[in-house]
Amino acid sequence: MNSKIKDLLKDKKSILVFDVDGVLAPIEYGEYNHYCVDDEECARQIESGIDIYSSVKPIKTMQDFLKNKNMDNIYVITLVMNNKEFLQKLTFLRKNYNIKEENCYMVFKERDKLLLLNEIKEKYPDLEDKYIVFIEDTVSNLSYVMKNSNYSTVHISSFMQ
């Protein structure tokens, strides 16, 4: 079977829903590692006012991909530890991708991403489910959406070809 993922990504009627960490923002927080502190310490740092996204560079491939897209059809659903982290991500997304704030959603549990995909789908009642395209780096999240909906799922590696 030939994959039609690339066709969906190019289709003007597709609603593209991105994760942030590992998809629109590289996970490069440690000097020589992808991460440098555990989640609890990271949450404490964010609560204390440290903006962990202020020095994060956007992914050029993703910027290039999005630059000619209709931004009304671009959404984000991102896992956060607290509201301050979400505000940091919103600033990062506006600054680097011009993604509309009203198209950005947060969840505190990964499984809740599907609930928000369903909410997004409600905005497009006449659109076939396959045109709701969930773009993520975590295979278990992609598999959960795939098994529990008719939405399309795309692993970030599809952008690396």
Side-chain angles (χ1 to χ4, degrees), residues 52-138:
I52 63 172
Y53 290 89
S54 64
S55 61
V56 173
K57 303 286 185 241
I59 298 172
K60 180 84 170 105
T61 301
M62 301 311 286
Q63 280 183 315
D64 290 345
F65 174 77
L66 287 170
K67 72 181 172 190
N68 295 317
K69 295 288 185 195
N70 175 355
M71 297 312 281
D72 291 332
N73 294 344
I74 305 301
Y75 289 81
V76 166
I77 301 174
T78 186
L79 178 70
V80 296
M81 291 179 269
N82 53 48
N83 289 330
K84 286 185 179 181
E85 181 183 12
F86 184 60
L87 294 175
Q88 290 177 11
K89 287 183 180 187
L90 285 176
T91 299
F92 170 81
L93 293 167
R94 271 193 314 268
K95 175 181 165 190
N96 295 294
Y97 293 100
N98 200 30
I99 295 174
K100 296 179 175 191
E101 188 171 324
E102 61 268 21
N103 286 4
C104 296
Y105 301 92
M106 67 176 176
V107 294
F108 295 105
K109 296 183 295 192
E110 292 286 4
R111 298 290 163 123
D112 289 345
K113 288 184 176 185
L114 180 56
L115 298 174
L116 288 171
L117 285 167
N118 291 336
E119 284 185 28
I120 292 168
K121 172 63 172 107
E122 287 175 11
K123 296 177 183 186
Y124 307 90
D126 298 328
L127 190 66
E128 258 185 279
D129 284 3
K130 73 178 181 182
Y131 291 105
I132 302 294
V133 183
F134 181 52
I135 302 159
E136 167 75 76
D137 63 320
T138 306

